[in-house]
Amino acid sequence: MQRYFAFLRAINVGGHTVKMDLLCQHFEGLGLLNVETFIASGNVIFEEDRDDVGSLEVRIEDTLKEKLGYPVATFIRTQQELARIAAHQPFSARVFDSAAAFNVAFLKSPLDETAVGRLAALENEFDRFHVEEREMYWLCQVRQSESKFSNAVLEKILGQPATMRNVNTIKKLVDKYVQLNQTS
């Protein structure tokens, strides 16, 4: 049995409100096991026997669109992938220590060189980016609300959906489930 982490895009924004217990019911209706949520921002943890993440993402997206009435982009990572993401530090200590925010954007697929170039063109004195596999790391030197960069800007330049989480949220997820594995 594999533990998965689903990161849902815009589940409780833009006029949409979904109670986490209802979200868990939708995931359980797919036959997924040990479903729970973490913070009311579209982080769903579950277990599944199959390892075809791509088809699992599609099944979840199809179900959520049917049940909620609007599309919900879904990004799934394994516990091992999430631990790697939480530990990755692509920025120097000097730059990192002065940052106001450090976020990770989950992507559907790795970026090609053209997309990486478009993202690099957005870098400025406040915003730095790093791409690693299916994640984009954003280090922001000012409050995010003061930056011209956002998830919507990212999706527009990449031409694919994305969802962002603060690295601290990811680290809390990893810490919780690594401890759970060690006590099991």
Side-chain angles (χ1 to χ4, degrees):
M1 190 74 61
Q2 173 77 267
R3 178 173 291 124
Y4 292 102
F5 298 81
F7 298 95
L8 309 178
R9 182 182 184 319
I11 193 73
N12 276 336
V13 298
H16 302 285
T17 303
V18 179
K19 295 196 181 286
M20 295 299 105
D21 59 340
L22 180 62
L23 192 58
C24 286
Q25 288 174 19
H26 294 325
F27 273 68
E28 289 165 350
L30 289 165
L32 304 175
L33 304 173
N34 300 316
V35 178
E36 60 183 292
T37 60
F38 185 80
I39 309 175
S41 59
N43 306 308
V44 183
I45 303 93
F46 61 92
E47 293 179 356
E48 167 70 355
D49 280 334
R50 293 169 281 197
D51 61 357
D52 184 356
V53 171
S55 69
L56 188 54
E57 284 176 339
V58 170
R59 283 178 46 220
I60 292 168
E61 288 172 342
D62 289 347
T63 296
L64 293 179
K65 184 173 183 179
E66 176 190 329
K67 301 289 186 183
L68 303 177
Y70 58 92
V72 178
T74 302
F75 307 84
I76 296 177
R77 301 299 187 265
T78 65
Q79 183 168 318
Q80 296 78 15
E81 288 172 319
L82 207 61
R84 174 191 51 78
I85 293 164
H88 190 64
Q89 178 46 271
F91 304 102
S92 72
R94 180 187 59 79
V95 172
F96 183 78
D97 289 344
S98 64
F102 184 35
N103 296 295
V104 174
F106 295 96
L107 309 170
K108 289 285 189 181
S109 59
L111 300 181
D112 61 24
E113 288 182 32
T114 303
V116 172
R118 286 193 305 264
L119 183 62
L122 293 177
E123 284 195 342
N124 56 51
E125 63 184 303
F126 304 120
D127 301 307
R128 306 254 173 109
F129 308 106
H130 176 81
V131 176
E132 188 77 26
E133 299 186 25
R134 295 180 297 149
E135 288 76 41
M136 187 280 302
Y137 296 81
W138 171 33
L139 191 71
C140 186
Q141 298 294 334
V142 295
R143 290 184 313 181
Q144 288 175 220
S145 60
E146 296 172 10
S147 172
K148 292 181 181 176
F149 186 74
S150 66
N151 197 77
V153 170
L154 177 65
E155 289 181 327
K156 185 175 181 177
I157 66 156
L158 298 183
Q160 68 168 288
T163 191
M164 280 198 218
R165 298 296 186 275
N166 186 283
V167 170
N168 290 333
T169 298
I170 296 167
K171 288 181 178 181
K172 287 176 185 174
L173 279 166
V174 169
D175 288 347
K176 178 179 179 178
Y177 289 94
V178 167
Q179 289 174 356
L180 183 65
N181 276 355
Q182 291 173 346
T183 58
S184 298

